[in-house]
Amino acid sequence: MIKTTIKLTSIGDVQKFVNAVARFSGDVDLSSGRYVVDAKSIMGIFSLDLMQPVEMTIHSDNADQLLSDVAEYIVK
């Protein structure tokens, strides 16, 4: 399992993020507070408070390509 924090600031960011995550065969979740949603669900992501960074949890140890694809959204 890999955890990192991401920031999505626009509708375009959410669309590009979901497209990148959809190509990944494993499960990916986003969480904000007590809410957890499937990162492949645009509607789920929009139900989160995107004004703050959210935590991304990748349920795989082999996610190098996914991390590369979403690197622009990862908060350093």
Side-chain angles (χ1 to χ4, degrees), residues 37-53:
V37 299
D38 183 349
K40 296 178 182 180
S41 167
I42 289 178
M43 293 303 290
I45 292 173
F46 281 122
S47 73
L48 299 176
D49 176 13
L50 296 178
M51 298 302 289
Q52 303 296 324

Side-chain angles (χ1 to χ4, degrees), residues 12-73:
D13 284 351
V14 172
Q15 290 173 328
K16 286 174 50 180
F17 176 81
V18 169
N19 287 338
V21 174
R23 292 190 299 269
F24 182 68
S25 61
D27 291 331
V28 182
D29 294 326
L30 294 180
S31 58
S32 175
R34 62 188 178 125
Y35 298 102
V36 179
V37 299
D38 183 349
K40 296 178 182 180
S41 167
I42 289 178
M43 293 303 290
I45 292 173
F46 281 122
S47 73
L48 299 176
D49 176 13
L50 296 178
M51 298 302 289
Q52 303 296 324
V54 295
E55 184 173 85
M56 177 174 67
T57 304
I58 304 168
H59 299 279
S60 172
D61 291 327
N62 187 15
D64 294 337
Q65 183 61 49
L66 175 60
L67 289 170
S68 174
D69 291 347
V70 299
E72 65 186 291
Y73 308 113

